[in-house]
Amino acid sequence: MSARSTGAAPAIEAPRLGLAPRTRQLLSDYVELTKPKVQSLLLLTTIATMYVAGDPSVALVALTCLGGYLSAGGAGAVNHWFDRDIDARMTRTATRPIPAGRVHPTAALIFGCTLAGLSFAELSLTVNVLAASLSFAGFLGYVLVYTVWLKRRTPQNIVIGGAAGAVPPLVGWAAVTGSVGGTAVLLFAIVFFWTPPHFWALSLLMKDEYARVDIPMLPVVRGEAETRRQILIYTVLLYAVTQLPFCAGGLGTTYLVASMLLGFGFIAGAIRLYRRADRRSALQLYLYSLAYLALLFCAMVADVHL
């Protein structure tokens, strides 16, 4: 007798076929709340810093990255919760889990705070309390300082709030050494000065959407010409800061050469954007900035271990 003739099989299989896609979508939505694309670069700076600071075990690196992901992921989820009103009005973000109605706002807030708590506990128990405290400070900085306080109030939001994204090198250094040394502070400064030109290049592409939701990003408040000028200024400042680890004796010639070549490329892109003032140059600089930071930190590791 066939399954079709009894009607039993469809009654059993239909819920399974319907449940799996919903479950996959739900898991995908909660992962999206943690902003995994942003996390990849944060974790890279953490790992690279750990190998600059010493010779950590694979287990220590994994445990530190787990805590870092939980903390930054929690901050991302709370950011999704707080910005759900403006996300719903922007084309780029309208399909995010909360504005699209796939995740309840309260559930996202609880999820984010839970991840932050788990991060602090995991890092405290398996790494050290200093690394846990620094990671939690990054969570608070991103949520309270950038998302809640600055983002909707000042065009300097990304300059001041960008400090939260520069915390991972401090966490990585503390995880290996149990302290925060001078080199760690310089690596923090590199990410701090990298953030404005990186984000402002993106904000030039998203200017109209930010204006629509009254977010005072620099190109909205001060204009595109001033934004391009600020990008160039901060890129030059970034180049100067990247030379400090060599000047202070923390890194050697391999890093120096890489930082100079990568820095000249960044400055050239900023000059091209300043002169041409087109979307293509802004997109190219934004994409280059991503590769720049990754390659710069990889060069640090190569300098120490090769």
Side-chain angles (χ1 to χ4, degrees):
M1 183 179 294
S2 69
R4 179 172 296 184
S5 64
T6 64
I12 296 173
E13 293 175 5
R16 291 179 181 174
L17 292 174
L19 178 62
R22 288 199 298 271
T23 302
R24 287 196 297 269
Q25 182 64 61
L26 184 63
L27 291 174
S28 175
D29 286 336
Y30 274 92
V31 170
E32 185 178 348
L33 289 177
T34 67
K35 300 189 175 183
K37 293 181 180 179
V38 176
Q39 292 256 32
S40 60
L41 199 54
L42 298 178
L43 292 177
L44 187 149
T45 61
T46 302
I47 295 170
T49 301
M50 293 181 75
Y51 282 103
V52 172
D55 190 18
S57 66
V58 174
L60 180 60
V61 173
L63 290 169
T64 304
C65 287
L66 174 60
Y69 189 96
L70 291 173
S71 179
V78 177
N79 175 267
H80 274 269
W81 165 77
F82 189 81
D83 282 348
R84 63 190 185 279
D85 57 333
I86 59 176
D87 283 349
R89 297 158 57 196
M90 295 174 64
T91 303
R92 180 175 65 93
T93 57
T95 58
R96 285 178 172 176
I98 298 177
R102 299 191 303 273
V103 174
H104 193 277
T106 303
L109 176 60
I110 294 173
F111 177 64
C113 293
T114 300
L115 290 185
L118 289 174
S119 169
F120 187 83
E122 187 268 337
L123 288 173
S124 296
L125 294 173
T126 64
V127 182
N128 60 59
V129 175
L130 178 58
S133 300
L134 288 168
S135 185
F136 189 64
F139 169 84
L140 293 178
Y142 186 78
V143 170
L144 298 180
V145 177
Y146 172 68
T147 300
V148 176
W149 179 32
L150 296 174
K151 183 175 180 178
R152 306 188 188 207
R153 288 176 171 82
T154 171
Q156 294 300 307
N157 47 22
I158 199 62
V159 177
I160 304 170
V167 167
L170 299 179
V171 175
W173 194 277
V176 175
T177 68
S179 63
V180 175
T183 301
V185 174
L186 293 179
L187 301 191
F188 168 90
I190 287 173
V191 181
F192 179 82
F193 279 93
W194 166 85
T195 302
H198 161 74
F199 192 85
W200 284 334
L202 175 64
S203 70
L204 285 171
L205 300 171
M206 304 301 300
K207 175 190 172 184
D208 293 340
E209 292 213 49
Y210 283 130
R212 186 183 308 127
V213 295
D214 299 320
I215 297 297
M217 291 301 177
L218 191 62
V220 175
V221 176
R222 306 273 304 269
E224 294 188 18
E226 177 61 18
T227 301
R228 292 192 298 271
R229 190 177 77 88
Q230 291 293 325
I231 287 174
L232 180 55
I233 291 173
Y234 269 88
T235 302
V236 173
L237 289 173
L238 171 64
Y239 175 81
V241 172
T242 60
Q243 304 310 299
L244 295 180
F246 173 80
C247 296
L251 294 170
T253 305
T254 300
Y255 167 77
L256 175 64
V257 172
S259 67
M260 292 177 67
L261 293 176
L262 290 168
F264 290 155
F266 208 153
I267 292 173
I271 292 174
R272 181 170 59 248
L273 174 61
Y274 183 77
R275 290 177 174 175
R276 294 183 180 178
D278 59 0
R279 289 180 60 85
R280 181 179 179 182
S281 297
L283 177 60
Q284 288 176 339
L285 187 66
Y286 170 72
L287 295 175
Y288 179 83
S289 70
L290 294 171
Y292 167 88
L293 193 65
L295 292 173
L296 186 70
F297 272 78
C298 287
M300 297 176 191
V301 178
D303 182 86
V304 172
H305 290 278
L306 297 182

